[in-house]
Amino acid sequence: MDQVFPEQVQVPDAVVSVAFDKAWGFVEKDPLLAHNLKAVLHSRLRAHLECSIKSGERNTLNLANEAIRNLRAELAPLDRAMSACTRTAGSVWGAKRI
């Protein structure tokens, strides 16, 4: 039977903490997430980070970026996200044809 040592448990907590700090700097200023309560953003961000940790990711920058992406997909208002996509796509697709 495998033994669980405190060091093994603390490493993911430390990684989650560092990744959370990296991600939070962006999340708290993100206009697509501004309508959400801070407590909701905190708990969902942490949940996304812990999920990625369980999947084996340990790179804090990758963890932070993936958590931000997932948080925006989950909590950003659909109409604002879609209008941003439409503007971007329109500028590319609306280019003058030769």
Side-chain angles (χ1 to χ4, degrees):
M1 186 168 136
D2 292 335
Q3 291 181 334
V4 178
F5 296 101
E7 301 84 31
Q8 293 174 322
V9 175
Q10 291 172 356
V11 170
D13 286 344
V15 172
V16 168
S17 180
V18 170
F20 183 94
D21 290 343
K22 286 183 180 193
W24 186 250
F26 293 95
V27 169
E28 68 180 342
K29 296 176 183 132
D30 190 333
L32 292 178
L33 298 172
H35 70 284
N36 293 284
L37 294 172
K38 189 175 181 178
V40 171
L41 293 172
H42 267 255
S43 67
R44 296 307 303 144
L45 181 61
R46 183 156 183 97
H48 287 300
L49 289 168
E50 288 173 349
C51 182
S52 294
I53 285 280
K54 288 178 185 174
S55 299
E57 182 62 65
R58 293 296 186 268
N59 180 296
T60 56
L61 185 58
N62 290 344
L63 285 164
N65 286 336
E66 185 175 348
I68 292 167
R69 236 184 341 268
N70 290 335
L71 195 63
R72 289 181 103 196
E74 177 185 4
L75 298 176
L78 185 59
D79 58 331
R80 288 186 69 189
M82 289 302 292
S83 65
C85 290
T86 304
R87 281 194 306 269
T88 303
S91 64
V92 173
W93 293 335
K96 189 175 180 179
R97 293 183 185 164
I98 301 176

